[in-house]
């Protein structure tokens, strides 16, 4: 009988880990209290922002770059196996500076990225508008990150769940795990409905709820929810094609004319409210960056809970108890970090070397 892994949570992280463990010959059960991909993973904008999202050189940047490098292949693998398009678009991200102070920030960011050997194009206003004519004339310039791409997270989550099921993964949707079952210094399964469900390893991938589980040992940091609201409009035909990143938010055009505008960053517990003030801020930000969006049609709005940690780093790797692993706390970058996270946890569980220094992310 192959070894058995239980994964708590079937968002992008749980499914990415399941996918790789199934390929490695493990038996996998995913326990999900709702539906696969129902929470933060379905709420995300899908920017693969290894450069646009990261503010300094270091281990977190390395992790993001390693995952970004894998994305095209990861998307292709999912699409070939499931026939579901995950909306991978090599759109590039334009980080727009609206005033001289933002221009100085952008120049400083470009400087360290170029020193690190990353691709950045520093564009003045005319060059930026030649690349993306829909951009506001009221800007001083933009950094262009041609290697930051995008996916559609809802489609990605569906494709992941479909692939995991095809590989033989067992989903128990509607299963709320109460905690991990610990015997001596080893995790032997999870507590579910008053009984223990046994496994050789347990992977915690419960997003913003990850550290509410009973029986967890003390960790480096805890996970807490940070809400983000997103607004979706429709433009037909599409008005622009690059992801536009400002210092107050971003605007993401999909190839089919949908445009996502985001996002807020709110500490409001597990409340996923869409608020008047939040939407007002997002609309103002979006129209400032791309004024032509004033003619876009309203479609829908939603909010999701990012799994944030006290120190801004994910919780990734082998836990302080034997048999316990963590794939959580990816905050604003979980869509980007799904491919590398799946591989890292597979390698640790199966005794291989993941080839990356995981010390900064240790549980
Ligand atoms: C508004 C917004 C915009 C974002 N934009 C981007 C972006 O552009 N790019 C990017 O890379 N990232 C983005 N993110 C971040 C990204 O969405 C998250 O980092 C990522 O989805 C986290 O995935 P996860 O699988 O850890 O969590 P989730 O998707 O939240 O999945 C966790 C799952 O665990 C389940 N669960 C929890 N506890 C239990 C339990 N006890 N028993 C059973 N099941 C349980 C939940 O029901 C849930 O389905 C954004 C997030 C938000 C909210």
């Amino acid at each position: 009988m192959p070894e058995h892994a239980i994964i708590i949570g079937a968002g992008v992280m749980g499914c990415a880990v399941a996918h790789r463990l199934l390929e490695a010959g493990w038996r996998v059960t995913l326990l999900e209290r709702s539906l696969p991909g129902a929470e933060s993973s379905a709420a995300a904008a899908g920017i693969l922002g290894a450069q646009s999202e990261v503010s300094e050189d270091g281990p977190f940047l390395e992790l993001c770059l390693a995952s970004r490098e894998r994305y095209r292949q990861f998307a292709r693998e999912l699409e070939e196996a499931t026939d579901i398009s995950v909306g991978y678009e090599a759109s590039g991200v334009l980080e727009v500076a609206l005033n001289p102070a933002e221009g100085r920030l952008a120049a400083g960011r470009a400087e360290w990225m170029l020193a690190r050997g990353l691709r950045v194009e520093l564009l003045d206003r005319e060059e930026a508008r030649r690349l993306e004519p829909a951009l506001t004339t009221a800007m001083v310039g933009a950094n262009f990150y041609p290697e930051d791409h995008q996916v559609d997270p809802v489609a990605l989550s569906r494709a992941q769940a479909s692939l995991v099921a095809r590989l033989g993964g067992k989903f128990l949707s509607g299963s709320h795990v109460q905690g991990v079952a610990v015997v001596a210094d080893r995790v032997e399964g999870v507590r579910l409905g008053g009984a223990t469900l046994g496994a050789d390893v347990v992977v915690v991938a419960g997003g913003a709820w990850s550290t509410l589980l009973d029986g967890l040992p003390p960790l480096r940091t805890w996970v807490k929810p940070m809400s983000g609201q997103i607004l979706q409009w429709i433009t037909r035909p599409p008005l622009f094609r690059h992801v536009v990143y400002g210092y107050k938010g971003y605007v993401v055009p999909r190839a089919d004319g949908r445009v996502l505008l985001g996002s807020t960053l709110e500490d409001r517990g597990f409340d996923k409210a869409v608020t008047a003030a939040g939407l007002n801020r997002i609309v103002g930000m979006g129209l400032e960056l791309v004024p032509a969006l004033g003619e876009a049609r309203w479609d829908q709005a939603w909010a999701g809970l990012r799994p944030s940690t006290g120190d801004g780093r994910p919780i990734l790797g082998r836990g302080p108890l034997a048999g316990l692993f963590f794939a959580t706390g990816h905050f604003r970058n979980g869509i980007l970090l799904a491919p590398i996270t799946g591989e890292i946890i597979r390698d640790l569980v199966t005794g291989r070397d993941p080839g990356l220094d995981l010390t900064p992310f240790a549980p």
Side-chain angles (χ1 to χ4, degrees), residues 15-363:
C15 288
V17 173
H19 171 181
R20 296 304 179 202
L21 282 178
L22 287 159
E23 283 179 337
W26 278 59
R27 215 155 45 88
V28 175
T29 306
L30 291 106
L31 300 175
E32 168 55 56
R33 52 163 211 194
S34 174
L35 282 172
E39 290 290 349
S40 190
S41 299
I47 306 166
L48 307 177
Q51 287 175 247
S52 41
E53 270 284 322
V54 178
S55 53
E56 58 183 12
D57 200 357
F60 185 64
L61 173 74
E62 296 310 318
L63 191 71
C64 290
L65 293 173
S67 207
R68 188 180 72 176
E69 229 170 70
R70 286 159 169 76
Y71 233 99
R72 197 182 286 271
Q73 176 57 28
F74 180 63
R76 193 176 299 138
E77 233 181 303
L78 288 166
E79 292 183 346
E80 283 176 4
T82 65
D83 275 337
I84 299 172
S85 163
V86 302
Y88 183 90
E89 292 278 341
S91 43
V93 172
L94 273 161
E95 180 179 307
V96 172
L98 291 172
N99 53 51
E102 290 182 359
R104 284 190 292 278
L105 276 175
R109 285 171 47 69
E111 196 179 319
W112 72 255
M113 288 185 206
L114 289 167
R116 163 64 182 71
L118 299 174
R119 277 183 68 194
V120 188
E121 292 169 27
L122 278 99
L123 309 178
D124 63 24
R125 180 178 25 221
E126 282 65 40
E127 290 165 331
R129 277 181 45 87
R130 259 200 300 283
L131 189 63
E132 189 52 85
L135 285 179
T136 175
T137 50
M139 64 170 164
V140 296
N143 286 358
F144 181 48
Y145 307 121
E147 292 174 33
D148 277 0
H149 299 160
Q150 62 159 299
V151 286
D152 179 337
V154 174
L156 179 82
S157 300
R158 285 190 189 137
Q160 284 184 297
S162 170
L163 177 56
V164 166
R166 280 166 196 241
L167 291 172
K170 188 170 166 196
F171 285 95
L172 296 182
S173 293
S175 303
H176 188 129
V177 176
Q178 286 127 19
V180 292
V182 183
V183 177
D185 56 356
R186 192 179 171 86
V187 167
E188 305 231 305
V190 297
R191 301 286 301 160
L192 183 67
T196 296
L197 192 61
D200 300 292
V201 307
V202 171
V203 181
V204 176
W209 299 264
S210 292
T211 49
L212 297 179
L213 293 164
D214 291 341
L216 292 182
L219 301 172
R220 182 192 92 231
T221 176
W222 300 96
V223 182
K224 77 178 248 184
M226 287 297 274
S227 169
Q229 301 182 41
I230 294 221
L231 188 53
Q232 182 169 289
W233 290 341
I234 306 287
T235 59
R236 204 168 287 142
L239 277 182
F240 60 113
R241 67 187 184 88
H242 298 94
V243 173
V244 179
Y245 217 90
Y247 286 77
K248 289 187 246 160
Y250 49 75
V251 187
V252 182
R254 302 276 194 241
D256 61 7
R258 283 174 294 156
V259 179
L260 277 73
L261 297 93
S263 179
T264 57
L265 191 59
E266 301 165 77
D267 184 356
R268 53 192 308 136
F270 290 92
D271 177 7
K272 289 191 285 185
V274 172
T275 63
L279 293 185
N280 186 40
R281 270 209 307 281
I282 295 170
V283 170
M285 174 283 302
L287 295 185
E288 195 175 20
L289 290 171
V290 182
L293 279 174
E295 286 301 311
R297 279 152 207 267
W298 165 271
D299 185 29
Q300 53 178 308
W302 62 84
L305 301 174
R306 305 175 185 91
S308 105
T309 58
D311 53 18
R313 299 193 302 266
I315 306 177
L316 200 51
R318 199 187 303 276
L321 293 170
L324 183 62
F325 295 82
F326 288 83
T328 190
H330 296 79
F331 193 31
R332 296 168 61 103
N333 301 106
I335 304 298
L336 167 65
L337 291 169
I340 192 74
T341 300
E343 291 183 24
I344 286 171
I345 301 297
R346 173 204 59 202
D347 289 348
L348 295 174
V349 166
T350 58
R352 295 186 229 175
D353 174 10
L356 272 167
D357 177 15
L358 297 174
T359 324
F361 314 115

